Amino acid sequence: MVNTRGGDIQTVRPSQRHRMRMRLLDAVDADRRDVDVLLTALQQAVAEVHGLGGMVHLPGGGMSGILYLVADSGLPEPMTRPWLIIPARGAAPPSRAARDDIVAWQPELAPPDPVPGRDPAALWPSRVPAGIAHLAVPIPGGGRRRGALSVLFAPGDEPGAAERAFQREVAEWMSGRLRASGILNPSPTLLRALEGGSGSREAPPWDADWAPSLAYTWDLRTGELTSDRPVEEVLAGIDPAVMAGGIEAWAALIHPDDLPGAVTGFDMGIQLRGGFQDEYRIRREDGTYLWIEAGARTLTDEEGTPVKVIGTLRDSSETHTAAESVGRALRHMSDGFVSLDSDWRIGFLNQAAEKLFGAAGDVAGSLLWDIPALHAVPGLEERCRATVAEGRPAGFDVPGQDGTSWYHLRLVPVPEGLTLYITDTTERHLREAERAAAERAAGERAALVQRITRELAEAVTAQDVIAAVADGVMTPLGATGLVMLGVAGDRLTVVGSRGYAERFTRLLDGQWAVTDTATPLGDALRTRTTLFISSQEEILRRYPQTRALVREGGKQAWAFLPLAVSGREIGAVVIAFGRARVLDDDERTLLTALSGLIAQALERAGLYDEATTRARTLQRSLLPRALPELPEVTTAARYQPATQGADVGGDWYDVIPLSAARVALVIGDVMGHGMAEAATMGGLRTAVRTLSELELPPDEILGHLNDIVGDLGNDAFATCLYGIYDPVTRRLSYASAGQPPPLVAHPDGSVAFLPMTPDPPLGVAAPPFEVRETLLPADSLLALYSDGLVESKDRDVSTGMSRLAELLSRSVTAMPAAPADASGLDALCAALTSALLPAHGALVDDAALLLARTHPLTAENVAEWPLPEDPTAAGRARELVRAQLTAWDLADEDLIMTTELLVSELVGNVVRHACGPTRLRMLRSRALICEVSDASLTTPHIRHTSDTDEGGRGLQLISALCRRWGTRHTRTGKSIWTEQPLPTA
């Protein structure tokens, strides 16, 4: 293997690669779940030897000598089914490796030996390729208890001594990690719990005081199960024939989540010759589960060898039903409730606590003081320990993470742990803070008036005035809302606000007339006096038509300040409070004095705002700040507003990178001028980018945009052209809704409008939209434009389009070879708009122009192969990836190993969950792109997995290893793709 770093060529020997993989395993976090640890190690073992897949078996079942499949990688489910339970005394490689502590090799894969009630040969898949070999190495355990790590090899492949040694090293690493979690060996806690029972041969079977119960005997030498009565008399719904099937039939009924614990209980009890008990679920004949309590004791012969297990079983479902009822009550309490065990770890939290600490699945098992929401609580650990030590409840107040909420924490010690009750005391703290603020304001009013006067004198814009009033008035008075309105004609329009939702300000904007004395603002403006309302009841009694606004605003008290300058009303200010309150005389005098200062500042700001509002709004929201720099297209754009001082328009454009190195080119126009049209344009731009992330084709994107515009009302219309350029095929697919056709200039200077029958504008169109495709030669220049560029009051659209084609042809002919940057296109944009548009003041419509020069992806940057539709596909894909990256001089070992793992997971998902034909494609463009395609239309999704799930973690691994990934549907199925950053030079 060759690794190029810093210009030096280095050879990575197998021994070095082995050490790299072991260092990767050593980096696995200590708190990772056992199943994740096994899966990670198994994937490294399989990848190192280019295997087809692998398995891990661990011992279980006590003296019954059973090995259980606990992890697998790269193998389809039909191949793993025969290996779920195998005998430790069998002839299969995992059995021999675990039993005899040897490296077992089998050149031809065959079914394992049967176990009672289970015949693997009958489960063997019919399409297993011939010649697959099987290698197994032991996973060391305590004494003679061992597991096995298996790897399957392609026909003709056989691992050498170094590779076998590496498999044993991985198995040793697995053993060390699993010993720490008590999987292969009994934990000290379990040993101490079992020390009280010596396992006397005459010991009677364990029994509980509850009835009815079932006494049973398990003969460890024959595996036979017997009971003192029919099993269905005690455990309703259980198959009556289960006892005849022996211990394996009984184990098959145990719930998968409970099986590991039940097996461990039997194992430890038998090994220690003692008693043990457990509680788990078993499956009824109708598929439902019931809870049982099981207790047992091991009987030995004269030499101390375990010969029998005797015990009792009883139905404990009623106990669980009662516990679940209590749990539901706790879960739905309005106060938060958290239960901690003796190790201070969270065992239960209800819904109210989840809102504060996070989902139960994320925080269960965590130390209480490791929860991020509690990091700011001082001395929490010390308080908890002191409460348990003293045995008395304790309580204290703590602030919330948001800085505004408060909670009372009550700690109550209980046997074997601690409970935590959380009560929201925000409202009480807010009342206390409000009273304190009012007291402080009394001593600060003189300085306050001076500061507000200075800030209002310095205010330039209306927003500066609002900020000055908000800073100087709201906090000292304890106000929670502020609205400033200006006179526009005979209506009052909202200039700005604080403490109100946008929905409320939209409802208030233009709602009231200046002369309408049936409203509090009209009344205050008519009398030129400040109006104070102390409660909702008062305002609804005096001004009943304000009911909708009062309900929407959610405030409880108000002060209405009229603003007048030189005998002329210019607006009003509304200061609102979150609680009913009566302002004292000092506060009323302050607000009355401020109304004159605010009016003068607002009058000055109005003169400035009138000239600058539209320009600033245009700069903020109309167009992209910068176009992305992409290797597939070089782009440049120009936007020209209609006339200076006119309302902004809705012309817009965008360039959006897509998967597989494709690029979306978009241009559109919201008909009309004004802030409403600008807002609509912004919404459509956001919608287009969101829909593009879903990998939808052009016609579907326009269909969704048509629905959005249609919902805006009958007078809302917009046009849009959406195109997708694929640099691999050099094809442009596009669809249009009311936009003029794109113009293409070829490298030889010839120009042509792309064929198109435009659909009606968005809002009145009837999908589906027509999609067309065209082949673009390398370095073609594509021009997208709005009608404002080619149409004016002195020129119709056809004439303008002809003029654009003439100018573009002439410019392309005169331009030098396509530059690597966009400087040439920027100059061309400026030249075209200058030639086509009249003087700025004469424009009657906005104009937008987007130029894009295409750069196809050359053949040496594209690689594609078919893959076999069997388990060998993953190994073949890894070989192709390694070879192609080396050919591209991307021989960084970390990149190769990561890419191999990504592709292996993608191909494994296809083999296991989808259908062929399967293809692998790699692109070297702005990133390293890998795609695996199949004929299935199902879309994979990341899901949460439990400790006992044998699958479901592949997409989590893919998401962690690559920069981006996703699914794109095609005409023949789907492609799952990943993007990785290319190494920097």
Side-chain angles (χ1 to χ4, degrees), residues 205-472:
W206 172 90
D207 199 357
D209 296 333
W210 305 287
S213 63
L214 173 76
Y216 70 90
T217 301
W218 173 18
D219 191 321
L220 297 177
R221 293 165 297 188
T222 65
E224 180 184 8
L225 276 178
T226 58
S227 60
D228 65 342
R229 66 177 70 181
V231 67
E232 65 271 18
E233 291 184 5
V234 177
L235 306 177
I238 300 303
D239 184 3
V242 66
M243 289 296 183
I247 192 61
E248 298 304 333
W250 182 262
L253 296 183
I254 300 177
H255 193 287
D257 292 345
D258 302 338
L259 182 60
V263 170
T264 300
F266 276 117
D267 286 350
M268 297 303 103
I270 292 170
Q271 289 185 42
L272 300 175
R273 281 65 165 170
F276 53 94
Q277 61 187 67
D278 195 5
E279 188 173 22
Y280 52 84
R281 291 165 287 179
I282 58 173
R283 188 177 68 253
R284 298 186 178 98
E285 288 187 284
D286 61 4
T288 61
Y289 286 86
L290 62 81
W291 282 93
I292 66 169
E293 287 186 0
R297 183 174 297 279
T298 304
L299 299 184
T300 62
D301 59 16
E302 296 294 341
E303 298 177 356
T305 302
V307 293
K308 289 184 180 180
V309 173
I310 60 174
T312 59
L313 305 171
R314 81 171 188 91
D315 187 343
S316 62
S317 297
E318 291 187 5
T319 304
H320 273 269
T321 301
E324 290 172 359
S325 176
V326 174
R328 283 194 297 271
L330 287 174
R331 184 156 186 80
H332 296 286
M333 283 174 52
S334 58
D335 286 351
F337 176 83
V338 181
S339 173
L340 308 179
D341 61 18
S342 58
D343 293 327
W344 312 104
R345 297 187 180 275
I346 295 177
F348 172 83
L349 69 166
N350 65 1
Q351 291 178 346
E354 286 188 64
K355 295 178 181 178
L356 300 173
F357 297 167
D362 297 332
V363 302
S366 302
L367 289 171
L368 178 66
W369 34 85
D370 286 345
I371 302 300
L374 295 174
H375 285 171
V377 178
L380 178 60
E381 180 178 356
E382 292 76 8
R383 290 173 185 263
C384 291
R385 295 184 184 276
T387 299
V388 172
E390 296 171 2
R392 294 197 304 266
F396 51 94
D397 288 352
V398 297
Q401 273 189 305
D402 56 8
T404 60
S405 55
W406 282 84
Y407 299 92
H408 180 76
L409 271 59
R410 180 170 173 78
L411 307 176
V412 180
V414 297
E416 301 298 328
L418 181 73
T419 58
L420 176 66
Y421 296 85
I422 309 163
T423 304
D424 190 337
T425 58
T426 302
E427 188 173 352
R428 174 170 60 83
H429 278 272
L430 287 176
R431 288 196 299 268
E432 294 173 355
E434 187 178 280
R435 286 196 299 270
E439 293 171 359
R440 288 194 303 270
E444 297 173 353
R445 285 198 178 97
L448 175 64
V449 172
Q450 182 179 4
R451 179 166 60 87
I452 295 177
T453 301
R454 182 180 65 254
E455 292 180 356
L456 289 174
E458 295 173 352
V460 176
T461 67
Q463 296 305 314
D464 293 339
V465 176
I466 295 172
V469 176
D471 295 342

Side-chain angles (χ1 to χ4, degrees), residues 533-781:
I533 305 292
S534 60
S535 66
Q536 283 194 0
E537 292 77 10
E538 181 182 354
I539 194 171
L540 294 177
R541 184 180 68 253
R542 296 177 60 178
Y543 308 100
Q545 70 183 46
T546 63
R547 183 177 302 275
L549 283 170
V550 169
R551 182 175 62 252
E552 185 67 32
K555 305 303 182 183
Q556 302 290 327
W558 300 264
F560 299 92
L561 282 63
L563 304 180
V565 175
S566 302
R568 174 173 53 87
E569 297 86 358
I570 66 167
V573 172
V574 182
I575 299 173
F577 303 87
R579 301 181 59 84
R581 61 167 297 182
V582 178
L583 298 176
D584 59 33
D585 292 341
D586 290 340
E587 292 169 332
R588 295 185 178 209
T589 301
L590 171 66
L591 292 178
T592 301
L594 288 178
S595 63
L597 298 175
I598 297 171
Q600 294 174 15
L602 186 62
E603 173 74 0
R604 293 191 303 269
L607 300 176
Y608 179 85
D609 287 341
E610 184 177 354
T612 60
T613 298
R614 293 185 180 89
R616 291 188 176 183
T617 303
L618 179 64
Q619 294 171 357
R620 276 197 309 270
S621 62
L622 210 55
L623 298 172
R625 293 185 178 180
L627 296 177
E629 296 182 7
L630 304 172
E632 297 82 12
V633 292
T634 303
T635 57
R638 281 291 185 277
Y639 169 78
Q640 192 69 50
T643 56
Q644 187 172 4
D647 288 328
V648 293
D651 286 22
W652 55 284
Y653 55 83
D654 218 338
V655 177
I656 307 170
L658 304 177
S659 66
R662 300 171 306 139
V663 181
L665 303 171
V666 194
I667 194 163
D669 182 8
V670 177
M671 298 183 183
H673 292 84
M675 294 304 298
E677 285 73 15
T680 301
M681 180 276 292
L684 291 180
R685 279 195 58 224
T686 302
V688 167
R689 298 193 72 90
T690 302
L691 294 169
S692 297
E693 288 292 326
L694 300 179
E695 303 282 0
L696 298 179
D699 56 332
E700 292 188 27
I701 286 183
L702 292 186
H704 287 295
L705 294 181
N706 186 64
D707 294 339
I708 294 172
V709 176
D711 291 340
L712 297 178
N714 295 332
D715 57 347
F717 305 97
T719 62
C720 182
L721 186 145
Y722 187 95
I724 297 178
Y725 173 67
D726 188 340
V728 177
T729 64
R730 298 188 299 166
R731 289 191 172 276
L732 173 73
S733 59
Y734 57 97
S736 174
Q739 275 292 123
L743 179 61
V744 176
H746 298 94
D748 61 2
S750 61
V751 296
F753 289 98
L754 294 182
M756 186 174 67
T757 304
D759 286 293
L762 300 174
V764 295
F769 292 88
E770 181 183 19
V771 178
R772 288 181 176 260
E773 283 194 1
T774 187
L775 183 65
L776 297 179
D779 294 328
S780 294
L781 184 60

